[in-house]
Amino acid sequence: MPELPEVETIARTLAPRVFGRRVSGLRVLLPKSFQDPEHLAACLEGAGIGAVWRRAKLLMIPLYPAASARDPEPAALVMAFHLKMTGSFFVHPQGTPPLRHTRLVFDLDNGERLFFDDIRTFGWGRLMRADALGAWPFWASLGPEPLEPAAAALGSALATRLKDSRRAIKAALLDQTVVAGVGNIYADEALFAAGLDPSTPAGQISGAGYQALAGSLQGILRQAIRECGSSIRNYRDAGGNAGAFQNAFAVYGRAGQPCIRCGMPLESRQIAGRTTVWCSLCQGNR
């Protein structure tokens, strides 16, 4: 957490609050939350904020530095934040003091304050030129966005990428170089919807199985975005609102409970170091 639907929801709810605003100040409360915070501070004052967007599990905040006599046409910048387990962004009224878990405070030209909060402190951000994103190794390693191609194209791409893989299909879905943005929750839910055993070696799944998986994955992700993500512990959108998709979980977090399709108790095991829940009757191989 947060996974693709949660980060997408944060981007959509944060964008209208900060787009077009200028940054008037920065307070760094936890230096490890941002790579090279001194460089960030030097570039930030007076910078305009562009349209917030998402790539994989990254929240992207474009910046347009203020022109100066020394640099009348400064390059566009972007802050990339990986929220990890508990990172979040909230806009607060003028004068709001940092909260217990606030790590960065961005003062805006309308008096409001943008907080980056992170309970577990695993989240991080970095600043770079927007035209240099492709040279960032982490960025270059990311797999395709699961919602951008048509389901048939995504299914074919997954089948091609994984045709010789011996890894469990659940482990493959968690690999951000295979497909970007999918984590434990939505991998479990998509595999259930597609009727695939999460421990099946990826190379043994048929073309029809991958088509079913692609359709299920896109359907699950879109439904989760419509419901503003899943709030299990700490996740909230940029307005402080909880998501609702957790109320629709078919398998995630339901080990030992009856399957919603057949009534059999759901099973659980560790795959790729993550707790995995599935129905041994409904999730056969394809």
Side-chain angles (χ1 to χ4, degrees):
M1 285 286 291
E3 300 181 29
L4 185 155
E6 290 75 41
V7 182
E8 180 68 26
T9 300
I10 291 171
R12 292 183 182 188
T13 54
L14 181 60
R17 299 293 303 275
V18 300
F19 178 73
R21 300 263 62 93
R22 288 197 173 272
V23 180
S24 59
L26 168 69
R27 185 175 176 187
V28 179
L29 301 176
L30 185 67
K32 79 169 191 174
S33 291
F34 206 93
Q35 185 182 73
D36 196 0
E38 293 80 8
H39 180 59
L40 172 66
C43 295
L44 203 60
E45 189 168 355
I49 300 176
V52 181
W53 54 291
R54 177 200 59 79
R55 168 72 167 118
K57 299 179 186 179
L58 293 170
L59 185 74
M60 311 296 292
I61 304 179
L63 296 172
Y64 300 94
S68 66
R70 184 178 61 182
D71 191 359
E73 295 184 4
L77 305 174
V78 63
M79 292 189 294
F81 281 90
H82 200 308
L83 305 179
K84 291 293 184 178
M85 296 179 69
T86 57
S88 58
F89 278 91
F90 301 102
V91 177
H92 296 276
Q94 183 176 8
T96 302
L99 306 176
R100 179 181 178 186
H101 302 296
T102 301
R103 310 306 178 191
L104 300 168
V105 177
F106 301 87
D107 288 311
L108 306 179
D109 61 352
N110 63 349
E112 293 183 329
R113 312 188 88 185
L114 173 63
F115 289 4
F116 172 60
D117 295 343
D118 188 9
I119 297 171
R120 299 289 296 275
T121 73
F122 296 142
W124 52 263
R126 63 176 291 162
L127 179 72
M128 68 201 81
R129 286 174 56 120
D131 58 9
L133 276 174
W136 180 21
F138 179 81
W139 183 273
S141 73
L142 291 171
E145 284 286 323
L147 293 178
E148 288 185 357
L154 177 63
S156 297
L158 290 174
T160 299
R161 282 172 173 258
L162 299 172
K163 64 180 180 179
D164 298 319
S165 176
R166 298 181 181 179
R167 287 186 296 175
I169 184 58
K170 166 69 179 288
L173 289 178
L174 297 180
D175 183 347
Q176 300 299 292
T177 69
V178 172
V179 61
V182 179
N184 204 35
I185 294 173
Y186 301 105
D188 274 8
E189 293 297 311
L191 288 166
F192 176 79
L196 291 170
D197 186 323
S199 63
T200 304
Q204 293 183 12
I205 295 175
S206 68
Y210 274 114
Q211 291 299 324
L213 176 58
S216 296
L217 181 59
Q218 290 190 343
I220 292 290
L221 292 174
R222 289 188 175 119
Q223 181 184 352
I225 292 170
R226 287 195 299 271
E227 299 191 25
C228 299
S230 303
S231 289
I232 300 172
R233 294 183 181 88
N234 310 109
Y235 161 72
R236 297 292 186 273
D237 68 17
N241 302 304
F245 187 70
Q246 68 276 6
N247 300 318
F249 286 167
V251 288
Y252 180 82
R254 299 188 62 244
Q257 298 180 40
C259 173
I260 62 172
R261 288 180 183 164
C262 70
M264 288 280 290
L266 296 173
E267 299 188 27
S268 175
R269 64 175 293 189
Q270 293 284 310
I271 297 178
R274 307 302 303 274
T275 299
T276 301
V277 183
W278 81 102
C279 177
S280 58
L281 183 61
C282 294
Q283 291 177 256
N285 294 337
R286 291 194 180 203

